[in-house]
Amino acid sequence: MRNQTILFFILCFVASVNSFSQTYNMANGNISTCSGTFYDNGGLGLYSANQNITQTFTPSTLGNVIQVNFTSFQTEASLDVLCIYNGPNTTSPLLGCYSGTNTLNGISFKSTHPTGSLTFSFTSDASIQLNGWAATISCTFGCQSFVANADSTFPIGDTNDIIKVCIGSTVDMFGDASYPNSGTHYNQSNSTSTFTWKTGDGFTIPGKNVNHTFNTPGVFYLSLIVEDTIGCKSVKQGKKVIVSLEPSFKSVTILPSDSICFGDTATIIIPDSGLFDAYDPPELKVAGVTAIPDIVGTPFTSIIPVSIFSPAATFGSGYLKGIYLNAEHSYLGDLEITITCPNGQTATLKENPGGGNTFLGEPIDNTTAGHIGNGYTYEFTNLSPTYGTMVGESGNYTQTYIDNNGLSVTNSYLPAGSYTSFQNLNTRLNGCPLNGNWTITVTDHLTSDDGYIFYWGLNFDTLIRPPLVITDSVVANKVTGLWTGNPNIIGSFVDSSVTVSPTTSGTHGYKYQITDDFGCTHDTTINIYVKPKPKSDAGMDFTTCLLNQTLAPTPIPGATVDSWNYFTVPVINTSTFDDSSLYTPNATVTDYGVYNYILQERLNGCLTYPDTVEISYIQVPNTINISVDKDTVCIPETVVFTNNSDMTFFDSIYWEFGDGGLSNSQGTASHIYNNYACFDVKVTLINTLGCSVDSIFPSMVCGFPTPVADFVYDPTESIIPNTLINFTNQSTGATNYLWDFAGLGNSIFEDDFYIFPKFDGGVYPVTLFVDNEGGCNDEITKNVTIKNTLSFWAPSSFTPNDDDLNDNFSVVFNNNSVEEYQVFIFNRWGELMFSSPEIDFEWDGTYNGKEVPNGVYIWRVVGKEKLTTESFEKIGHVTLTR
C-alpha cells in the first residue's frame, strides 16, 4: 500500500509539472524539463544563417526519460542539418542527422541513455533560411530492468545447451521473463510484454511459445526478445541449434562400373569416411583491390552470394545492420552507390550528385589513374548511425595526411564510421529473399577523379544470422547402415560393401540407409544399369551358285562385329573370310554345299546372343542359245535377236550388243547398230538366286556403211545440137554402179557420158544406182535440160479498135527459158510509149490512158535466158492502125 501511495504522488507531481509547459527556442545549453514546445532558434519564424548550436534536454522527473515528437520540419536539404544524439552530449550515440522538407514529421525520439537525455546539434549556412521545426517535449518512464528467459525448448538439448537436429526438424521454444523492478515506476508482466523469437536462420517469430522448422544445415542461436509495455527490451540468447548436413555419399565406388553386361555382377562400396562434408561458416565479405571505373556511367559491381539462411527467409526491419565499404576516392560529388538484393530490389546508399570535393579515405589526388591510396571503412545503415548521410556530412571535416606518394595533403574528407543510408534499407529491401546474390554498384559519373575499393561486406543482425565463426562440430557420423529393397544382393545387408547380381536387363536401384549420431536417417539409391543382351541377326538363309558371297546381316544399332565363324557337314569343305571384323565380309568356299555362318556382336562392350545364316552353294548349267534375223546390216539398221535358251533354271536374260548397247528384254531384243564394224554379242542368264551364266558370240553382227549416191554433169547448159553430156560419179561408200539415162540407155561404169537427141530439146531424168558388199544401196536422180535455139515472133501491125481481132501487140518466144525480160515501145521521135517486165505483155496502143495516133512504132526487147550468162536484144517495128 505504501508503494502505491508513493507512485500516486509521483504521477500527480508529473501531471502538475506538465501543466506548466513552455516554449524552447534552440540555444546552446542544457535544459531540465518534462514538457514544452521545441523550436529552431527562430521560433515561429525562420532560423538564422551560419548557426552551430547544441542543446541538451534532461528529464526533470526522477526515473523519466526525454521524448521528443516532431510535428513539422523544413530545412535546406543537405546544407542545414539537425543531428540528434542519445545522451547528454554530442559524443553520445548518434540517432541520426536530418535535413529537407517533412523529413521528421510525426517522428518521435526517446532517450534510452541512463541520464534520460537527448542532445540536438544544428548547423546552417548562409544561403537559405527556412521555417525549421516544431516538436513537443514530454517525459515518459525510463526502463525498469527485467530478464528474458530463453532456456526452455523441445528437444531440451544436451549439457552444453546444444540441440542437434536433422534438416526439416522442428524445435519448440517456450519463452518467459522475470520482472524484479515491476511496480517501481510502472507494472511489468508476461501478460503486458511482447515476446519475439529470432532463430538465427533468417526468421523472426512473434509469440511467447512458438516452434520453428530448420531447413538448412549450420549452427543457429535461438534468441528471445521481450519488450515491456513501454518498449523496454531484454534480449536473451538461448540454446544453440546444430542442424546436421545431409551425407553426400560422394565416395561411392562401383566395380567394375555402374553399367554392366547381362549376367555379370557389380560390387558397391560406400565407405564411412566421406559421407559427411564439413560445414563452412558463411563468408559475407569480398576483398581485393579494385579500381572504380573512371568512365562516365560505367559501374563497378561486385556480388556476394548468400546461402546461410533458410531458403524461405525474407528481409525484415533491422535484419541488415549495415553495408560496409573500404575505399578511397578523390571526389565524392561524382559517386553513386547502391545495394541490390537477390530479387532486384535496390536501395541507394549514396545519391548522385552530392558531396562535392570531399575525399573518401586517403586518396592520391592525381588525375592519372593507377595511383592507390589508403582506404577508410564506411558503413551505411539506418540503425543508429554515427553520422548523417555522406552528402549531409560533406564539407564538415578536414584532415592532413602524407599520401602514398610522400606528399602532404590537406583536404575535406569523411571520417571512417557509420553513415545514414540515403534510402531507408528497411523499407527499400522489405520482403527481399535473404539467400541469393547481393550486389553493390559504385558508379563514377565524372572523369578525372579516380579511386579504389579494397573490400566490402554485409553486416546482418547477429540475432537473425548464423555465427561467422564456429567452434562446434557440425559433421555427423554414421551409426548404422542397411541395404533395403532388392533381393539381388550377395552378402550381408548391413555391410557397407555388397555385391549385386541383377537377373534382368535395365536399371536396378539398391537403397542404402544410414542413421547418424544426430538421430537422422538418410538414404541414397545406387543405380546399376544392366545392358541388354539382344540376339544378333546374321541375315536370311539363301541359295547361290557363286562360290564367293558377301554376307549381309542386319546390324544391331550401335554394335560392332566381334566375330564371324562357320561350320559345314563335309569335313573337306572350307570357307575363308577376307575380313571377319567387318559386318559384310566376303566368304569364299572351296566347293558347292551347305555352309552355316555364325555372327556374334559386341554392344556397349557386351557380347550378344549369336545367330546363324545358312547358305547353300549350287551349280547351274549353261543353256544359252540365241538367233539373229540378219548378221549383216546397213548402218544405221535394227537387228532383232531371239532368245532360244532353256530358261528352266533362269529368270532373266541380259544382252550386251558389242557396241555398248544393253538390254534386258526377255523374249526378243532389238538393237540399232550405228557403227561400221563387226560386233561380239554377249548373253547372260540370271536367276532369282543371283546365279548367272554367260556366252560370247564373236562377230555375230557386222555393220556396213550405207552408201550415198551422187554425181555431177557437164555441161550444165546444152543447146541443140550440142547434146553430149559427161557424167562424173561423186558417190561415197559404194562399190557397184548403174546409170539410167532417161530410159534411153544405161551404164555400169563409175563415170560415163551420153549423147541425147539432137533434133529437139527437153528435160531428161538421169538416175545413178549404187550398192556395196554388204548389200547396202542408194540412188539419186537429176534432170538434164537440153535447150532449143532461142527464137520469137512479133507481128508487123495490129488494130486496137475493140473488135476482138488483133487488138493488142505482143511477142511470142519458142521456149520458156527467158528470164530478166524487159520490153520498150517508142514513137518515131524516140519517146517511150510503153514498157513491161512481163514476157506475156500486151500493148493496147495507149499512153498514159490515152490512145496514141496511127503510125509506125519502134519496139525493143532485152533479156537473158536461163543457164546462160549473156543477154540478148531484139529490135523491130510495128504499124498501129485503128
Side-chain angles (χ1 to χ4, degrees):
M1 179 66 72
R2 184 173 180 272
N3 289 336
Q4 293 177 353
T5 302
I6 293 172
L7 178 61
F8 177 76
F9 174 79
I10 293 172
L11 294 175
C12 292
F13 177 77
V14 171
S16 174
V17 172
N18 289 338
S19 65
F20 297 98
S21 63
Q22 65 182 87
T23 298
Y24 300 101
N25 293 342
M26 187 170 183
N28 289 319
N30 190 327
I31 296 176
S32 178
T33 184
C34 269
S35 65
T37 303
F38 175 38
Y39 295 104
D40 57 87
N41 73 313
L44 294 176
L46 305 179
Y47 57 77
S48 303
N50 299 317
Q51 294 296 296
N52 188 0
I53 311 170
T54 300
Q55 187 162 48
T56 300
F57 292 97
T58 301
S60 58
T61 301
L62 181 66
N64 278 214
V65 295
I66 290 293
Q67 180 170 300
V68 175
N69 180 43
F70 284 86
T71 57
S72 66
F73 190 87
Q74 185 186 43
T75 68
E76 185 180 6
S78 301
L79 299 177
D80 300 341
V81 181
L82 176 67
C83 294
I84 305 172
Y85 299 87
N86 186 16
N89 49 54
T90 55
T91 63
S92 302
L94 177 68
L95 296 178
C97 293
Y98 307 93
S99 65
T101 301
N102 298 328
T103 306
L104 292 178
N105 286 11
I107 304 298
S108 293
F109 295 89
K110 176 182 175 182
S111 175
T112 59
H113 194 270
T115 63
S117 303
L118 289 176
T119 297
F120 299 84
S121 175
F122 178 62
T123 58
S124 65
D125 65 2
S127 58
I128 298 175
Q129 291 78 52
L130 299 175
N131 288 326
W133 64 85
T136 60
I137 302 173
S138 63
C139 286
T140 184
F141 291 120
C143 292
Q144 298 174 155
S145 62
F146 62 99
V147 179
N149 183 357
D151 294 334
S152 181
T153 62
F154 182 82
I156 60 176
D158 59 17
T159 56
N160 295 317
D161 282 339
I162 295 176
I163 304 172
K164 292 185 176 182
V165 296
C166 313
I167 291 178
S169 298
T170 299
V171 175
D172 295 321
M173 295 162 275
F174 306 98
D176 197 3
S178 59
Y179 308 93
N181 298 306
S182 178
T184 301
H185 301 295
Y186 59 94
N187 292 323
Q188 297 167 305
S189 67
N190 284 348
S191 62
T192 58
S193 296
T194 300
F195 290 76
T196 303
W197 289 88
K198 294 194 176 181
T199 58
D201 62 347
F203 285 93
T204 298
I205 306 174
K208 182 171 177 287
N209 302 323
V210 300
N211 59 65
H212 179 63
T213 300
F214 289 87
N215 290 310
T216 188
V219 177
F220 309 100
Y221 284 95
L222 303 177
S223 299
L224 176 63
I225 300 96
V226 181
E227 183 176 343
D228 68 12
T229 186
I230 67 168
C232 301
K233 295 180 181 179
S234 176
V235 179
K236 176 64 180 296
Q237 181 174 291
K239 298 184 186 299
K240 183 190 303 180
V241 177
I242 299 179
V243 183
S244 71
L245 293 165
E246 295 279 359
S248 64
F249 298 101
K250 63 184 179 183
S251 298
V252 174
T253 301
I254 304 174
L255 300 175
S257 71
D258 60 356
S259 180
I260 61 175
C261 299
F262 182 81
D264 291 348
T265 61
T267 299
I268 306 172
I269 304 170
I270 304 181
D272 293 343
S273 61
L275 282 175
F276 296 92
D277 291 321
Y279 172 75
D280 292 326
E283 179 63 49
L284 301 177
K285 178 179 177 181
V286 173
V289 179
T290 305
I292 300 173
D294 199 20
I295 303 172
V296 174
T298 299
F300 158 82
T301 60
S302 179
I303 293 174
I304 294 178
V306 176
S307 59
I308 62 176
F309 299 101
S310 174
T314 57
F315 188 92
S317 179
Y319 278 22
L320 188 60
K321 297 177 69 175
I323 298 102
Y324 59 90
L325 177 74
N326 185 277
E328 58 94 338
H329 193 271
S330 56
Y331 188 81
L332 178 64
D334 60 3
L335 290 185
E336 181 180 19
I337 307 173
T338 61
I339 187 73
T340 303
C341 71
N343 71 350
Q345 292 174 225
T346 299
T348 300
L349 308 178
K350 189 272 172 184
E351 72 276 25
N352 177 70
N357 192 27
T358 298
F359 286 16
L360 299 180
E362 298 177 3
I364 297 177
D365 189 14
N366 192 306
T367 57
T368 302
H371 295 74
I372 302 177
N374 297 320
Y376 288 0
T377 299
Y378 301 95
E379 183 174 28
F380 300 94
T381 182
N382 296 109
L383 301 174
S384 301
T386 303
Y387 301 100
T389 64
M390 280 190 165
V391 174
E393 295 289 347
S394 63
N396 294 338
Y397 309 94
T398 303
Q399 69 173 351
T400 300
Y401 62 93
I402 304 298
D403 70 14
N404 287 346
N405 278 344
L407 300 177
S408 178
V409 178
T410 299
N411 58 28
S412 176
Y413 83 112
L414 290 182
S418 60
Y419 285 79
T420 303
S421 172
F422 175 69
Q423 291 183 326
N424 191 288
L425 299 177
N426 293 324
T427 56
R428 296 288 298 181
L429 304 179
N430 184 48
C432 173
L434 293 179
N435 282 344
N437 289 336
W438 289 75
T439 305
I440 194 169
T441 302
V442 181
T443 305
D444 191 333
H445 288 278
L446 297 174
T447 58
S448 300
D449 299 287
D450 59 16
Y452 292 85
I453 294 174
F454 300 94
Y455 60 82
W456 77 282
L458 301 167
N459 185 11
F460 284 102
D461 179 10
T462 57
L463 297 183
I464 63 100
R465 66 159 172 79
L468 300 180
V469 178
I470 61 172
T471 58
D472 305 278
S473 173
V474 194
V475 179
N477 296 291
K478 172 188 147 183
V479 176
T480 62
L482 177 66
W483 292 93
T484 63
N486 200 301
N488 301 322
I489 295 176
I490 302 173
S492 173
F493 281 71
V494 297
D495 291 338
S496 59
S497 174
V498 293
T499 299
V500 299
S501 179
T503 57
T504 59
S505 61
T507 300
H508 295 258
Y510 298 89
K511 184 177 180 181
Y512 183 60
Q513 178 178 295
I514 68 168
T515 302
D516 62 25
D517 56 2
F518 277 55
C520 307
T521 299
H522 313 279
D523 62 69
T524 184
T525 297
I526 308 300
N527 289 323
I528 303 294
Y529 177 69
V530 180
K531 303 171 188 175
K533 188 173 184 176
K535 183 178 180 180
S536 295
D537 183 355
M540 299 293 293
D541 298 344
F542 64 94
T543 301
T544 181
C545 62
L546 299 175
L547 296 181
N548 179 279
Q549 185 65 37
T550 299
L551 302 180
T554 300
I556 296 173
T560 58
V561 174
D562 183 76
S563 64
W564 274 105
N565 292 291
Y566 79 96
F567 71 86
T568 180
V569 175
V571 179
I572 60 174
N573 289 1
T574 61
S575 178
T576 59
F577 303 98
D578 63 345
D579 188 346
S580 61
S581 66
L582 300 177
Y583 266 110
T584 57
N586 290 320
T588 303
V589 300
T590 57
D591 202 353
Y592 295 100
V594 177
Y595 293 77
N596 291 275
Y597 295 92
I598 306 164
L599 170 65
Q600 192 165 33
E601 298 168 272
R602 191 171 290 274
L603 178 63
N604 297 324
C606 302
L607 289 174
T608 61
Y609 289 110
D611 187 43
T612 300
V613 57
E614 182 179 276
I615 302 178
S616 298
Y617 295 91
I618 63 172
Q619 192 172 19
V620 293
N622 187 335
T623 61
I624 295 176
N625 179 18
I626 64 170
S627 60
V628 63
D629 66 337
K630 62 187 77 170
D631 56 5
T632 59
V633 295
C634 300
I635 59 173
E637 188 172 357
T638 300
V639 176
V640 178
F641 298 86
T642 302
N643 178 22
N644 303 312
S645 306
D646 181 356
M647 300 295 288
T648 303
F649 300 99
F650 303 98
D651 303 286
S652 302
I653 182 171
Y654 293 88
W655 307 83
E656 297 178 39
F657 299 114
D659 61 351
L662 304 173
S663 175
N664 62 352
S665 181
Q666 299 304 299
T668 60
S670 297
H671 181 66
I672 299 175
Y673 284 95
N674 292 292
N675 297 318
Y676 177 36
C678 290
F679 303 96
D680 299 338
V681 176
K682 181 179 179 180
V683 175
T684 302
L685 301 182
I686 300 177
N687 62 19
T688 56
L689 302 177
C691 304
S692 66
V693 295
D694 60 71
S695 295
I696 296 177
F697 300 89
S699 300
M700 189 173 193
V701 176
C702 291
F704 294 89
T706 300
V708 177
D710 194 14
F711 65 90
V712 295
Y713 58 89
D714 180 58
T716 57
E717 178 180 338
S718 297
I719 301 175
I720 293 174
N722 298 320
T723 61
L724 186 149
I725 305 297
N726 293 304
F727 295 91
T728 301
N729 195 333
Q730 292 187 332
S731 302
T732 59
T735 56
N736 301 308
Y737 312 94
L738 175 62
W739 295 89
D740 179 6
F741 301 114
L744 302 175
N746 51 55
S747 172
I748 60 173
F749 297 107
E750 183 173 356
D751 301 313
D752 209 340
F753 67 90
Y754 189 77
I755 299 174
F756 290 92
K758 296 179 180 289
F759 51 84
D760 192 13
V763 177
Y764 300 95
V766 176
T767 301
L768 173 62
F769 300 92
V770 298
D771 64 10
N772 56 27
E773 65 270 24
C776 305
N777 57 72
D778 190 24
E779 65 180 77
I780 186 171
T781 299
K782 294 185 178 182
N783 291 324
V784 176
T785 301
I786 305 297
K787 297 172 56 178
N788 295 314
T789 301
L790 180 66
S791 63
F792 67 95
W793 172 85
S796 59
S797 64
F798 74 106
T799 59
N801 53 9
D802 295 328
D803 61 357
D804 293 329
L805 295 175
N806 199 24
D807 283 333
N808 297 303
F809 169 74
S810 62
V811 298
V812 179
F813 290 90
N814 67 335
N815 60 44
N816 60 356
S817 63
V818 177
E819 62 181 5
E820 299 182 15
Y821 175 84
Q822 187 75 34
V823 62
F824 303 94
I825 299 176
F826 303 91
N827 62 17
R828 60 182 178 174
W829 293 282
E831 293 178 313
L832 180 64
M833 299 289 103
F834 175 80
S835 66
S836 174
E838 303 295 335
I839 197 170
D840 54 351
F841 78 93
E842 289 183 341
W843 181 42
D844 60 359
T846 63
Y847 173 66
N848 290 335
K850 296 181 179 180
E851 294 180 351
V852 299
N854 294 338
V856 177
Y857 291 87
I858 307 302
W859 54 264
R860 176 173 173 260
V861 176
V862 295
K864 185 177 78 69
E865 288 185 87
K866 297 178 182 178
L867 305 178
T868 64
T869 58
E870 296 181 356
S871 300
F872 64 85
E873 181 180 32
K874 305 293 184 180
I875 298 175
H877 61 271
V878 63
T879 300
L880 184 153
T881 304
R882 299 190 186 278

